[in-house]
Amino acid sequence: MRHISFAINQLIANSFIFLCIVTFPQAAQAKHLLFVQPGISIQQPDTIENPEAKNAVIAPTPEATVENQELNSTDTIPLNKTISFSEKQKQLEHSVLSIFVSNEKIEQLKTKLIEYGEQHLPWKARKVYFEVIEKVFDYSILLLFAALILFFITNIAIVLFTLNYTIKRKNQKGRFERIYGKMYEEVIMDYIFGNIDWEKALIKLKKIKNKANRRILISVLMNFKANFKGELENFIPEIYLKLNLQKDSLKLAKSRHSHKKVMGIMELTHLYPQGAKGMISTLINDPNDYVRTEAQIAYVTLNNENPFSFFDNLKQPFAKWAQLSVFYLIRLNQIPVPAFARFLSFKHYNIRNFSLKMITFFQQLEDVSEVIKMADSEMEETRFLAYKAINDLRLYDSRELIKKKFDGETKRNKLEILKAFKNIGDTDDFAFLEEVMISGSISLKLEACRSVYYMSEESRDKISKHTKKEIPELELLLAHVKDPRN
């Protein structure tokens, strides 16, 4: 599809450029002919009723006199000279062809064509031939249309040829990869399960020195590495190193193209981890987002003892995609989880946010004072995650702090604060929640009512005793809260 889109875009671009080249000079010439110089009159075919005005000459204005000083000299055309209809028609002859060549050359070409017809064509065909030549040169726009049609046909032919070639090349490449991929899979499987020795396997791995074949073999090994576990998994890096395929991956990892560099990092991480560690450390601050993210994920994978030590040297952002991938690796590979509270003092806000998420998920209560400090952060997202952590970690001593923060917070953070009182609230907080139900917005009233209702039996009894006069929407709020669908 990428090649098809490129071919179509090329056709449109070429056509547009051709039209611009052809039509712009023609439009400029037409515009020039519309303006008649001051002082020159064009003889009209209509009759003139006033005999005295028959030979009148249009007097030039002072502005026209200044702008056309050359016309006032004795060497120029007199102002009372008129342009006849035949002369005007002659000026318009070859108007399109004259854009590209001079009128003299056009006349020479026309003469040569006529001479050719007189010398080489039978007399019966000469009349039609001469008429065609006269029409073409008298109405040169026909020649322009013919050239335009020829240009479009040529472009369409090029596009069709490109599409046909691309499709054939793609099919050949796919067939090539399927044939050799299947063959390499069978050979490696036989070697892994002990059906053949390495010497015989090496003979069966045909054309392994070819660059394309080596790429196919690496993809096969990557597939086996992802699906084999235990003792069978250890054979994959062994085959990779025996064939010196790490050189191909190292070359990719040093490429200037980001997609190749990412591919090289992935191959080295899974098939040559001992050689990947040194290179990965230099790429965690790569300016390209994809390369940097892949390097950070690889660092966590290769450093089980201290997977997040790269935070100390991180100068570029820790992207959300990298955070999600790292979290997946921690759970999948059972990587030891560090105390994330120590990362809350880092300058990168995304590291602090990631640490708050990890503290909340893994219920780390070792240093909750650092979590509470994050409620004073300048970043709205960081404060939101701090309120969420206070709620999920059940930090009861933070109730007074978040009540003080409530008025100055955004609507999203206000809702998160009200949600926290559902789990950490007490009867002492009833007055605060009651005030929100009276003066807050509908969404804040609803969340405050929910927190009061589920906070305790005592608070539930208190809210039930209120009247519509005190809280007009109380019945609707309670009905919404009690509905199990909400």
Side-chain angles (χ1 to χ4, degrees):
M1 292 302 294
R2 180 170 59 87
H3 298 288
I4 295 174
S5 177
F6 174 77
I8 294 174
N9 290 336
Q10 186 180 22
L11 172 62
I12 296 173
N14 291 342
S15 303
F16 179 75
I17 293 171
F18 181 81
L19 288 173
C20 289
I21 293 174
V22 171
T23 58
F24 180 76
Q26 181 67 12
Q29 185 178 12
K31 180 180 179 182
H32 176 72
L33 293 173
L34 290 175
F35 293 95
V36 180
Q37 292 182 352
I40 299 178
S41 62
I42 299 176
Q43 185 175 353
Q44 301 293 333
D46 300 334
T47 58
I48 300 175
E49 297 179 359
N50 189 357
E52 296 179 358
K54 182 175 182 180
N55 297 321
V57 178
I58 300 174
T61 61
E63 290 81 5
T65 305
V66 175
E67 294 177 358
N68 300 277
Q69 293 179 358
E70 295 182 357
L71 294 177
N72 296 333
S73 63
T74 57
D75 298 330
T76 57
I77 302 172
L79 293 179
N80 60 350
K81 182 176 181 179
T82 59
I83 300 176
S84 65
F85 181 78
S86 60
E87 290 175 345
K88 180 181 177 182
Q89 186 178 17
K90 186 176 181 181
Q91 289 180 0
L92 294 176
E93 285 183 354
H94 315 312
S95 58
V96 176
L97 295 178
S98 61
I99 298 173
F100 306 100
V101 293
S102 62
N103 289 333
E104 292 78 8
K105 291 184 178 180
I106 295 173
E107 292 296 335
Q108 291 176 4
L109 176 61
K110 183 177 179 180
T111 303
K112 289 181 179 180
L113 290 174
I114 293 174
E115 291 177 355
Y116 177 84
E118 291 176 347
Q119 297 174 3
H120 297 86
L121 295 179
W123 66 273
K124 292 183 178 180
R126 289 179 189 177
K127 183 178 181 181
V128 177
Y129 177 75
F130 293 153
E131 288 180 356
V132 171
I133 292 177
E134 290 295 334
K135 293 294 183 183
V136 168
F137 282 89
D138 290 344
Y139 303 97
S140 55
I141 192 67
L142 298 176
L143 190 61
L144 172 63
F145 281 125
L148 187 61
I149 292 171
L150 181 63
F151 177 79
F152 274 106
I153 292 174
T154 305
N155 268 275
I156 292 172
I158 293 172
V159 170
L160 293 177
F161 175 79
T162 304
L163 291 177
N164 185 48
Y165 174 78
T166 303
I167 293 172
K168 285 185 177 180
R169 184 66 183 270
K170 186 177 180 180
N171 292 336
Q172 290 175 357
K173 184 178 179 181
R175 186 169 177 268
F176 177 84
E177 291 177 351
R178 286 194 301 271
I179 292 173
Y180 278 94
K182 185 177 181 180
M183 182 184 69
Y184 291 157
E185 286 179 359
E186 293 175 354
V187 175
I188 294 173
M189 289 287 289
D190 289 340
Y191 173 72
I192 290 175
F193 289 104
N195 298 330
I196 57 175
D197 57 12
W198 177 247
E199 287 74 17
K200 192 172 182 179
L202 195 59
I203 295 173
K204 288 189 173 184
L205 293 173
K206 297 179 180 180
K207 296 185 179 181
I208 198 59
K209 293 184 178 181
N210 186 286
K211 182 179 178 181
N213 292 66
R214 292 171 74 84
R215 295 306 315 162
I216 294 173
L217 182 55
I218 291 175
S219 65
V220 171
L221 294 175
M222 287 285 289
N223 186 35
F224 283 173
K225 186 68 169 60
N227 292 282
F228 287 169
K229 300 298 178 184
E231 295 181 1
L232 296 178
E233 185 181 6
N234 298 328
F235 282 96
I236 309 304
E238 176 190 339
I239 298 172
Y240 182 77
L241 294 176
K242 282 183 177 180
L243 297 173
N244 289 323
L245 295 174
Q246 74 276 11
K247 293 181 180 179
D248 299 64
S249 300
L250 286 168
K251 187 176 180 180
L252 281 180
K254 295 177 181 178
S255 174
R256 293 180 299 175
H257 304 285
S258 59
H259 68 282
K260 292 183 178 180
K261 190 176 290 188
V262 169
M263 189 182 299
I265 293 172
M266 293 176 64
E267 294 170 2
L268 292 171
T269 302
H270 294 285
L271 302 176
Y272 188 45
Q274 62 271 25
K277 285 186 177 180
M279 176 174 289
I280 296 303
S281 300
T282 63
L283 296 175
I284 58 173
N285 287 309
D286 193 273
N288 185 273
D289 293 340
Y290 299 105
V291 175
R292 183 175 66 252
T293 299
E294 194 61 41
Q296 292 168 356
I297 295 170
Y299 191 97
V300 175
T301 305
L302 299 174
N303 296 272
N304 289 336
E305 295 181 358
N306 195 3
F308 297 98
S309 58
F310 73 94
F311 280 172
D312 298 323
N313 301 318
L314 191 63
K315 298 177 182 178
Q316 296 287 344
F318 186 40
K320 288 187 177 181
W321 171 247
Q323 296 177 25
L324 183 61
S325 301
V326 166
F327 174 69
Y328 173 76
L329 286 173
I330 292 174
R331 300 195 63 188
L332 181 65
N333 301 333
Q334 297 182 351
I335 297 175
V337 181
F340 283 97
R342 77 180 190 90
F343 300 126
L344 294 176
S345 59
F346 278 46
K347 64 177 182 178
H348 289 294
Y349 73 92
N350 41 26
I351 293 180
R352 297 196 301 268
N353 293 349
F354 174 74
S355 300
L356 284 171
K357 294 175 184 177
M358 294 298 100
I359 290 171
T360 303
F361 182 84
F362 293 108
Q363 295 289 296
Q364 294 183 348
L365 299 171
E366 291 82 0
D367 197 354
V368 295
S369 60
E370 294 296 325
V371 176
I372 297 174
K373 288 180 182 179
M374 292 297 101
D376 296 324
S377 174
E378 296 180 356
M379 301 295 297
E380 177 189 356
E381 180 69 17
T382 303
R383 297 196 306 272
F384 172 82
L385 294 172
Y387 299 140
K388 185 173 178 60
I390 289 172
N391 182 17
D392 294 341
L393 298 177
R394 305 296 191 264
L395 303 182
Y396 297 96
D397 296 335
S398 305
R399 291 181 294 121
E400 294 300 324
L401 172 65
I402 61 178
K403 280 194 288 186
K404 292 179 181 178
K405 294 284 185 181
F406 183 82
D407 290 333
E409 276 296 351
T410 61
K411 182 178 180 179
R412 182 193 181 201
N413 288 359
K414 285 181 177 180
L415 289 172
E416 194 61 34
I417 289 174
L418 294 175
K419 289 178 182 179
F421 284 100
K422 177 182 174 181
N423 297 311
I424 67 173
D426 197 356
T427 52
D428 296 337
D429 304 313
F430 182 81
F432 166 74
L433 297 173
E434 183 183 28
E435 180 63 27
V436 174
M437 285 189 289
I438 295 174
S439 59
S441 63
I442 294 298
S443 56
L444 295 179
K445 288 179 179 181
L446 182 60
E447 203 58 51
C449 183
R450 182 180 285 108
S451 295
V452 169
Y453 188 81
Y454 290 104
M455 190 167 57
S456 64
E457 290 290 340
E458 186 178 353
S459 62
R460 188 179 303 178
D461 293 337
K462 282 187 176 182
I463 194 64
S464 301
K465 294 178 181 178
H466 278 67
T467 62
K468 289 184 178 181
K469 185 176 181 180
E470 295 172 326
I471 306 176
E473 302 92 348
L474 181 60
E475 290 185 3
L476 294 175
L477 295 174
L478 288 174
H480 185 85
V481 170
K482 293 176 182 180
D483 193 336
R485 295 173 296 178
N486 300 319

